[in-house]
Amino acid sequence: MSYKHAPTHIYKTSEVLSDDTKLSSAVRQVLSLPSREAEGLIGSTTSTAYRRIHEHLTAVFDRAVEVLSRPESGRVSEVVVGLTKGLILVEYQLSRNQVSRELGIRLREILESLLESLNQSEAGLAKKFERARTLLDALAVLVYRYTR
């Protein structure tokens, strides 16, 4: 099935994860997508597949906030491993056609942006993970609103 009505560009992930105002704007934009565009973004995604991804990623994001708020804990590598496992999970669900290509792209962008931020040891990392969690939750609303 082709989803030619998927939004071509909702937000720029790296900007959204770096700024509360842009995050708020992106969340409002996601939640107010016209039905046709939302269905194009969600496509063939199943609620079960998204739930599996969401559960894993939110656990990683929440743990990252905890770890990065206390950088002396030296446990950043566990966050990297969690994000990498998240990428594998997204790819697995994509290859099983359980997550739409469009949604998979958005999820990969979030994960890759966070991994890049960790690699560059950017300031404000805990806040980026909080924003990523919020964006992931907004996408969950669409998934549950439009899935079979």
Side-chain angles (χ1 to χ4, degrees):
M1 177 181 270
S2 173
Y3 296 98
K4 48 183 152 176
H5 298 289
T8 55
H9 196 284
I10 299 178
Y11 50 79
K12 185 167 181 179
T13 304
S14 60
E15 290 178 5
V16 167
L17 298 183
S18 297
D19 182 89
D20 287 336
T21 303
K22 290 179 180 176
L23 170 68
S24 177
S25 176
V27 167
R28 288 193 317 272
Q29 190 177 15
V30 165
L31 295 177
S32 65
L33 280 175
S35 296
R36 207 168 190 172
E37 287 185 28
E39 289 169 352
L41 173 63
I42 300 311
S44 62
T45 303
T46 66
S47 58
T48 301
Y50 191 81
R51 180 185 47 77
R52 286 184 180 137
I53 292 169
H54 187 271
E55 285 177 355
H56 174 79
L57 295 182
T58 55
V60 171
F61 294 173
D62 291 345
R63 181 70 180 137
V65 169
E66 189 179 309
V67 167
L68 296 169
S69 296
R70 300 178 281 110
E72 69 280 354
S73 70
R75 305 204 53 188
V76 174
S77 64
E78 102 182 35
V79 175
V80 172
V81 170
L83 291 173
T84 303
K85 287 180 179 180
L87 279 171
I88 293 167
L89 181 57
V90 169
E91 291 300 323
Y92 174 72
Q93 296 294 14
L94 276 166
S95 61
R96 293 182 62 232
N97 294 319
Q98 297 298 300
V99 172
S100 74
R101 181 180 167 279
E102 297 296 327
L103 185 58
I105 289 168
R106 301 296 187 298
L107 294 170
R108 278 193 310 243
E109 286 174 352
I110 292 169
L111 294 169
E112 289 169 358
S113 181
L114 291 170
L115 281 165
E116 183 65 26
S117 293
L118 280 170
N119 289 337
Q120 295 178 7
S121 300
E122 291 181 18
L125 283 171
K127 191 70 176 157
K128 283 189 176 200
F129 278 88
E130 289 175 0
R131 291 181 189 114
R133 167 75 193 252
T134 301
L135 189 54
L136 193 67
D137 290 344
L139 292 170
V141 170
L142 286 187
V143 169
Y144 291 111
R145 189 180 290 163
Y146 293 102
T147 56
R148 47 187 172 179

